[in-house]
Amino acid sequence: MVSYIGVSDIERLVRRVGTAEFMGALAREIEADYQRWPAFEKSVRLASHSAVGVIELMPASDGQLYSFKYVNGHPKNTRDGLLTVTAFGVLADVTTGYPLLVSELTVTTALRTAAMSVLAAHHLARPESATMALIGCGAQAEFQAIAFHSLLGVRDLRIFDVDSLAMAKLERNLGAAAGLGDLRVTRANSTADACRGADIVTTVTADKRNAVILTPDMIEPGMHLNAVGGDCPGKTELHPEILLLPGTHVVVEYEPQSRIEGEIQQMPAGFPVTEFADIVTGKVAGRRSRNDITIFDSVGFALEDYAALRYLHRLIQEDPHGRREIDLVPVLRDPKDLFGGTVGGVRSRMRAAV
Ligand code: NAD
């Protein structure tokens, strides 16, 4: 039997652990895996593009466990009452090839993306950062806000979205969430208004085009940009000149994938970037001076989902009462008798007769 985590299970697990604590644990798992970067078999994700979105497969393996995530990105979906991003994934045992866990990853992707954002900001933003502009108030927004408040110390959040209902939803959810009493949430009139004086700017918008959410005039010395929404060919958020501003340090997850999908797709092939693993292992300094402009050009890398799936698998092992299983793989008395043990067997003939 294979363990299964559905949406109701992830809700229960996150409630049990606490949302901020869950993202803190994920950040530690992800950091530990980036620290052993060479141990991973890495590849750019396999993307199937259409006029309205993308469907992607994201594999990772460290030779002991293997994982993949199925994820889509369809910015127009929300108009029809559907999510922009949905996902599910599998964790498998490399020794036997057997799947260990099938899990929802829609909620988990939001949790792991926010965990990864905070982890990057921890290494790149000025240590006293307390003010964040959050541009884009959709499905990912609360997770980003809670993670930056609880794990990085952001106390002043300026939010902006072209959709005022999305801003109202974010204010309502943050107002009702536990543990955010000292978080001041202010609605900005524009992206420029939100960014003025911010230590960190998080962009998490969805639009299938080279959008220009941030322009160079909005960027101040010392800012950290957490650019989350530009994650596909032809789908970016930053004006290219931001990447060329003096003192700018661009950090990516896995360079070959980010060259295709990140903000740096707008730059020539030799444009200098640092892989996050080199920051985590101390090979390269994240921030060299107070006035550096640091950019985490986030696209989401398979290692982060691998870390999340392994963490989920451990959590449900520790919670045998809540654990669900599905019969994804046949259990046979004779492994060579797949026919007799399944469709051709006595058991299945009896079932058909009932
Ligand atoms: P969503 O559709 O729920 O929310 C996006 C929000 O952006 C919407 O409220 C929309 O009104 C707003 N928006 C669009 N254009 C805007 C603009 N010009 N100015 C201000 N706001 C604008 O999507 P979501 O699930 O929150 O995802 C947001 C983005 O993050 C998507 O592009 C998604 O692909 C990306 N994403 C990246 C990662 C990663 O690891 N880097 C992970 C998950 C999602």
Side-chain angles (χ1 to χ4, degrees), residues 5-256:
I5 296 179
V7 177
S8 58
D9 301 299
I10 196 75
E11 285 173 14
R12 183 176 51 77
L13 288 170
V14 173
R15 274 203 201 100
R16 200 184 80 200
V17 175
T19 312
E21 292 76 7
F22 198 100
M23 290 191 281
L26 278 179
R28 288 190 292 279
E29 297 281 332
I30 293 170
E31 183 167 40
D33 283 335
Y34 270 109
Q35 266 161 353
R36 53 189 197 102
W37 185 241
F40 280 88
E41 188 179 86
K42 298 176 272 292
S43 55
V44 301
R45 57 189 162 198
L46 189 62
S48 169
H49 296 277
S50 68
V52 287
V54 64
I55 295 176
E56 297 165 325
L57 290 177
M58 302 170 67
S61 174
D62 66 350
Q64 299 197 352
L65 293 170
Y66 173 96
S67 72
F68 75 83
K69 173 163 95 169
Y70 167 105
V71 62
N72 77 299
H74 285 70
K76 289 186 181 145
N77 268 4
T78 53
R79 292 182 203 167
D80 300 322
L82 301 173
L83 285 152
T84 295
V85 176
T86 70
F88 69 90
V90 168
L91 184 72
D93 177 3
V94 169
T95 310
T96 59
Y98 266 46
L100 302 168
L101 169 68
V102 176
S103 179
E104 88 77 43
L105 289 180
T106 304
V107 180
T108 302
T109 291
L111 292 159
R112 78 85 157 117
T113 302
M116 183 61 210
S117 288
V118 162
L119 180 58
H122 173 72
H123 288 277
L124 299 173
R126 286 175 300 195
E128 72 281 12
S129 295
T131 303
M132 180 163 95
L134 179 56
I135 315 301
C137 302
Q140 311 296 319
E142 285 81 355
F143 299 87
Q144 291 281 334
I146 294 170
F148 273 91
H149 167 269
S150 306
L151 306 173
L152 205 91
V154 164
R155 292 291 172 265
D156 189 1
L157 186 71
R158 293 95 171 266
I159 64 171
F160 180 70
D161 195 299
V162 287
D163 174 5
S164 61
L165 291 178
M167 284 197 276
K169 177 253 353 177
L170 178 59
E171 284 174 322
R172 200 168 53 243
N173 283 342
L174 294 179
L180 301 181
D182 59 346
L183 177 67
R184 198 162 70 97
V185 181
T186 319
R187 252 192 226 211
N189 296 320
S190 64
T191 297
D193 182 27
C195 291
R196 207 161 295 120
D199 299 307
I200 298 172
V201 177
T202 289
T203 53
V204 64
T205 67
D207 205 347
K208 200 171 165 48
R209 67 191 173 98
N210 291 114
V212 182
I213 306 298
L214 299 184
T215 47
D217 54 298
M218 298 177 197
I219 311 305
E220 297 170 17
M223 266 183 178
H224 170 65
L225 310 185
N226 173 39
V228 178
D231 57 0
C232 255
K235 177 168 174 271
T236 51
E237 295 182 308
L238 307 189
H239 189 292
E241 278 171 22
I242 292 178
L243 303 168
L244 301 169
L245 288 172
T248 297
H249 184 195
V250 180
V251 174
V252 299
E253 289 146 311
Y254 178 50
E255 186 178 339

